[in-house]
């Protein structure tokens, strides 16, 4: 279902000109969602008690951003990622975005509390819980392996623009020895997405 992706990592490799410490890209095939793929008919949870939201149905006929974050209430997500999308919601609406979905592999109660903590009521941000990790797994956007401090399997740090159920933009923050994208999370921030929407 999903196209092959190539992620460029950098590893030391001998080079005749620059010597043994010259860094050359080593391309490793990755199989996760990519531009052109359709939203899977998989449900996430809204609120608590949870209301099931089938993503294929929900995204039909809309232009939606989906922001995947490794964990609720984690520092970078709470102080950088979400506030950025909240602050630039008018600019996003001007580019035709109907809604910004903030998702993480947590339960609906945690996501509801996180939304309240972030003050998103009345905004275009909607928090959905990938409670059973089914959405992340359907898109192959899980962190492998997930660091032990996060516990169970979590989703990658990413931003995605979906137009009428089709992925049009996908930015994944990760790197060698940095599966959660903490080293350079900015690829998933609102500034990058706004630039992609130009």
């Amino acid at each position: 279902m999903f196209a092959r992706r190539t992620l460029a990592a950098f590893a030391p490799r001998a080079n005749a000109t620059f010597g043994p410490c010259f860094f050359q890209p080593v391309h490793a095939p990755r199989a996760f969602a990519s531009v052109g793929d359709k939203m899977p008919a998989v449900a996430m949870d809204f609120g608590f008690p949870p209301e099931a939201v089938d993503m294929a149905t929900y995204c039909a006929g809309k232009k939606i951003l989906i922001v995947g974050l490794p964990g609720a209430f984690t520092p970078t997500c709470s102080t950088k990622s979400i506030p950025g999308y909240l602050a630039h919601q008018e600019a996003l609406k001007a580019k035709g975005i109907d809604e910004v979905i903030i998702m993480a592999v947590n339960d609906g109660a945690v996501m509801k509390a996180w939304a309240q903590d972030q003050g998103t009521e009345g905004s275009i941000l909607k928090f959905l819980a990938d409670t059973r990790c089914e959405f992340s797994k359907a898109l192959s956007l899980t962190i492998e392996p997930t660091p032990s401090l996060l516990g169970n399997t979590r989703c990658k740090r990413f931003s995605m623009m979906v137009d009428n159920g089709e992925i049009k933009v996908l930015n994944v923050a990760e790197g060698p020895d940095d599966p959660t994208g903490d080293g350079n999370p900015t690829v998933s921030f609102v500034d990058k997405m706004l630039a992609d929407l130009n």
Side-chain angles (χ1 to χ4, degrees), residues 5 33-39 59 61-66 95-97 139 158-171 192-193 195-198:
R5 295 291 301 274
S34 63
V35 171
D37 290 335
K38 301 291 187 180
M39 280 290 95
C59 292
K62 301 175 186 176
K63 187 176 287 187
I64 293 177
L65 299 186
I66 302 175
K95 293 182 180 295
I97 299 301
L139 294 174
F158 69 86
S159 64
M160 174 190 300
M161 194 275 275
V162 180
D163 189 357
N164 192 27
E166 181 178 326
I167 299 173
K168 297 294 188 179
V169 177
L170 176 61
N171 299 312
K192 176 66 167 65
M193 180 56 71
D196 290 337
L197 295 175
N198 285 333

Side-chain angles (χ1 to χ4, degrees), residues 55-79:
M55 293 304 292
T57 301
Y58 192 77
C59 292
K62 301 175 186 176
K63 187 176 287 187
I64 293 177
L65 299 186
I66 302 175
V67 181
L69 299 172
F73 294 98
T74 51
T76 301
C77 302
S78 293
T79 63

